[in-house]
Amino acid sequence: MKRTGKAITVYLGALGLLLGLYTVRGDYCEVNVCHNGATCVTGVGEDPFICICPDGFAGDTCNLTETGPCSPNPCKNDGSCEVIAPTRRGDVFNEYVCRCQPGFEGVHCQINVNDCANQPCVNGGTCRDLDGDYACQCPSPYVGKQCQQRCITLLGMEGGAIEESQISASSVHYGVLGLQRWGPELARLNNQGLVNAWTSATHDRNPWIEINMQKKMRLTGIITQGASRMGAAEYIKAFKVAASLDGVSYITYRADAPRRDKIFVGNIDNDSTKTNIFEPPIVAQYVRIIPVVCRRACTLRMELVGCELNVYSNTAGCSEPLGMKSRLVSDDQLSASSAFSTWGIDTFTWHPQFARLDKAGKTNAWSPASNNRSEWIQVDLQKTKRLTGIITQGAKDFGVVQFVSVFKVAHSNDGESWRVLKDKNTGNDKLFQGNIDNNSHKKNLFEPGFYARYVRVLPWEWHERTPLRMELLGCDD
Ligand SMILES: *[C@@H]1O[C@H](CO)[C@@H](O)[C@H](O)[C@H]1NC(C)=O
Ligand SMILES: *[C@@H]1O[C@H](CO)[C@@H](O)[C@H](O)[C@H]1NC(C)=O
Ligand SMILES: *[C@@H]1O[C@H](CO)[C@@H](O)[C@H](O)[C@H]1NC(C)=O
Ligand SMILES: *[C@@H]1O[C@H](CO)[C@@H](O)[C@H](O)[C@H]1NC(C)=O
């Protein structure tokens, strides 16, 4: 191939990218003119093609090896390289240090510190090593960062702490010519007497009984019991459980493996009790028991097992990073309306999986395909958590500083219906002040905090494009 014209090389600073701009006549990218795994692109500006060099290579066709101790970056795991003696003296080569991300150590940040090494999880909890942190998966009824807390209080159906007004049902059975009322307020474990349980009306095709706990609680189990009426045993053989934070939208408890509503095995006679564990626990204010199979009639006495959520004054004590940076939130828990690709090149796509605080690299943030107010990034926390704040950070796209300067936050319990956080003074959507540069952390608190499984961030105003790196703050409770 004959090449004509002059070669222009443009160095794009801090991220070490080198674009080789080269004029050719002929096949352009059909023949592989770019070396060392570089990407050949046509149709960018005036030039027939450009080579986008991988880290460590330079030159028009990426055939040159970059020089300098930090090029290519010798540091692993998003560690950043710093030259500490920028000049070469005699035969002494430049020195560098790797600044490691939390959770990594070693000269090249090559060692992922095992945060599980001294077995922080107690009571049978399983430890998962994260970047700079660990997470315990606790077997119910144990909860807490280290599974140290037992969540087994009887919540008061039997004891009476749950009052009659807190118990409601889809329908009530009236027996003996309408004189016996098998009302929901009777559905208390070990209730005695002739009429001693809740029974749904015979015609009720979709029966349920609901307990309003009057505040958000954590539930780790349920104890159920049938009753006998006119000498015959009546009980619920199988049931589902639904829960709600607000008494409006309900989520049916699902089994882990097949993503289907979990069917709990209930009773087998009029008197014995059956205990079911919620694994994982439910965080809710309202809980509904939905009979699926009943013997003679849907008759129930019951107790709820659980505990109070930790009570925090405002956000104090509930502002742990929820795992964007530590990767407790895994890649498949992150999604977005779209993702931007610099120059349309796949390798330079700003995936939602990159929206992790302090992420390093050439493309190191999420950025949507278009700059508009319909774009969003979503985090599925996989269970209901309490959220109290957010840290956001901008980025640079090949040297150009970009950031989201104003954003909104929305949340959801089912991933379908969303609530945008409101300003408590005006009642309008709350506008959070975001970033002002490519790198600094901006922290905003949610006042008040909220409970949710899904969180969305919606860029509202921005500088250049809308890249986001972020961390969510809150706690498991
Ligand atoms: C790199 O490619 C250019 C142009 O094709 C050539 O002039 C130069 O000698 C090459 N350098 C090396 C180190 O191969
Ligand atoms: C109800 O349970 C008690 C205790 O287990 C048992 O003695 C009684 O026979 C049962 N009654 C009916 C109607 O099944
Ligand atoms: C704005 O973003 C939405 C969501 O990705 C997209 O469907 C829409 O086409 C965008 N509008 C413009 C004008 O780019
Ligand atoms: C981007 O952020 C870094 C780190 O804070 C800073 O050193 C640099 O000057 C910033 N770059 C630009 C172009 O503002």
Side-chain angles (χ1 to χ4, degrees):
M1 185 189 307
K2 187 167 173 241
R3 296 193 176 87
T4 59
K6 65 178 195 304
I8 311 154
T9 308
V10 182
Y11 290 85
L12 288 174
L15 295 177
L17 176 85
L18 197 68
L19 276 179
L21 302 176
Y22 208 90
T23 312
V24 298
R25 207 163 42 202
D27 299 306
Y28 307 143
C29 287
E30 274 174 41
V31 173
N32 190 5
V33 288
C34 304
H35 299 273
N36 293 311
T39 309
C40 182
V41 192
T42 55
V44 179
E46 300 276 290
D47 302 287
F49 79 96
I50 58 171
C51 294
I52 298 170
C53 306
D55 276 332
F57 295 99
D60 302 336
T61 58
C62 306
N63 63 345
L64 304 176
T65 308
E66 279 188 23
T67 51
C70 287
S71 248
N73 184 355
C75 313
K76 310 291 179 203
N77 294 309
D78 282 349
S80 61
C81 181
E82 268 177 42
V83 178
I84 53 176
T87 51
R88 191 189 292 245
R89 277 169 286 139
D91 58 355
V92 180
F93 282 84
N94 288 354
E95 294 283 349
Y96 63 87
V97 285
C98 290
R99 306 250 178 249
C100 303
Q101 295 279 325
F104 294 97
E105 61 182 30
V107 176
H108 292 119
C109 310
Q110 73 280 21
I111 301 162
N112 181 357
V113 179
N114 182 1
D115 299 290
C116 288
N118 41 19
Q119 299 175 320
C121 311
V122 295
N123 292 316
T126 319
C127 188
R128 189 170 138 205
D129 182 28
L130 305 172
D131 293 359
D133 201 358
Y134 63 87
C136 297
Q137 169 127 30
C138 307
S140 269
Y142 295 100
V143 297
K145 171 86 177 162
Q146 288 151 347
C147 312
Q148 73 282 13
Q149 190 190 343
R150 253 156 69 103
C151 179
I152 51 159
T153 310
L154 302 178
L155 295 188
M157 289 295 282
E158 181 173 12
I162 295 173
E163 294 177 11
E164 292 192 359
S165 59
Q166 292 173 248
I167 314 167
S168 57
S170 55
S171 65
V172 171
H173 176 78
Y174 289 90
V176 189
L177 306 171
L179 296 176
Q180 292 179 344
R181 180 186 143 86
W182 294 74
E185 67 283 355
L186 301 176
R188 299 177 184 277
L189 198 73
N190 296 321
N191 201 1
Q192 303 297 318
L194 199 57
V195 181
N196 64 337
W198 167 67
T199 303
S200 65
T202 320
H203 59 77
D204 188 351
R205 295 288 180 107
N206 298 298
W208 50 260
I209 180 169
E210 174 174 296
I211 319 298
N212 174 359
M213 293 170 286
Q214 289 184 325
K215 62 181 171 182
K216 293 170 187 76
M217 298 283 285
R218 182 166 24 210
L219 299 176
T220 53
I222 181 171
I223 307 169
T224 53
Q225 190 180 33
S228 65
R229 187 158 57 91
M230 320 248 309
E234 295 182 349
Y235 47 89
I236 298 172
K237 289 162 84 169
F239 61 94
K240 295 184 187 184
V241 172
S244 173
L245 292 166
D246 55 11
V248 179
S249 72
Y250 286 79
I251 298 184
T252 307
Y253 195 84
R254 304 199 118 192
D256 247 0
R259 300 291 298 164
R260 282 192 312 228
D261 293 352
K262 180 163 169 86
I263 309 276
F264 293 91
V265 175
N267 297 107
I268 50 166
D269 61 24
N270 77 81
D271 205 49
S272 64
T273 59
K274 166 78 183 175
T275 301
N276 277 282
I277 300 283
F278 298 130
E279 183 87 76
I282 295 172
V283 172
Q285 178 173 339
Y286 302 83
V287 62
R288 264 185 197 186
I289 290 81
I290 303 165
V292 175
V293 183
C294 299
R295 157 81 187 182
R296 291 180 64 93
C298 298
T299 295
L300 180 69
R301 292 178 284 170
M302 61 175 281
E303 181 62 276
L304 293 171
V305 184
C307 55
E308 300 263 337
L309 297 171
N310 291 336
V311 181
Y312 299 102
S313 60
N314 203 354
T315 57
C318 177
S319 56
E320 300 155 29
L322 291 182
M324 292 293 285
K325 180 165 176 168
S326 74
R327 296 183 174 272
L328 175 62
V329 174
S330 62
D331 283 352
D332 57 13
Q333 290 170 252
L334 298 168
S335 57
S337 51
S338 67
F340 175 69
S341 296
T342 303
W343 301 313
I345 300 167
D346 280 353
T347 323
F348 300 127
T349 301
W350 298 74
H351 297 289
Q353 289 74 23
F354 293 172
R356 300 179 183 280
L357 200 70
D358 294 331
K359 178 156 178 60
K362 280 179 184 162
T363 48
N364 62 333
W366 166 70
S367 196
S370 64
N371 292 340
N372 84 46
R373 289 177 167 181
S374 308
E375 303 278 13
W376 47 261
I377 180 166
Q378 174 177 320
V379 184
D380 173 2
L381 295 166
Q382 288 185 327
K383 60 179 177 176
T384 303
K385 298 205 180 192
R386 183 171 168 195
L387 287 119
T388 58
I390 184 170
I391 299 173
T392 51
Q393 191 180 26
K396 275 190 295 200
D397 187 4
F398 297 107
V400 182
V401 172
Q402 317 179 331
F403 50 85
V404 173
S405 52
V406 177
F407 61 91
K408 295 186 182 183
V409 173
H411 60 94
S412 169
N413 294 316
D414 56 9
E416 280 159 25
S417 62
W418 294 87
R419 253 180 235 201
V420 177
L421 291 186
K422 302 289 180 192
D423 187 306
K424 59 176 183 274
N425 299 320
T426 65
N428 298 328
D429 289 356
K430 168 94 181 163
L431 296 176
F432 292 94
Q433 295 304 309
N435 298 107
I436 50 167
D437 62 21
N438 76 84
N439 208 50
S440 59
H441 292 181
K442 170 68 183 177
K443 181 167 163 181
N444 277 282
L445 297 180
F446 304 137
E447 286 167 322
F450 57 89
Y451 287 85
R453 170 173 167 177
Y454 300 88
V455 180
R456 277 186 183 178
V457 178
L458 303 92
W460 207 247
E461 288 171 21
W462 46 82
H463 177 70
E464 300 287 344
R465 294 202 63 83
T466 53
L468 263 181
R469 291 180 280 172
M470 62 187 203
E471 183 61 88
L472 294 170
L473 304 174
C475 53
D476 254 4
D477 299 329

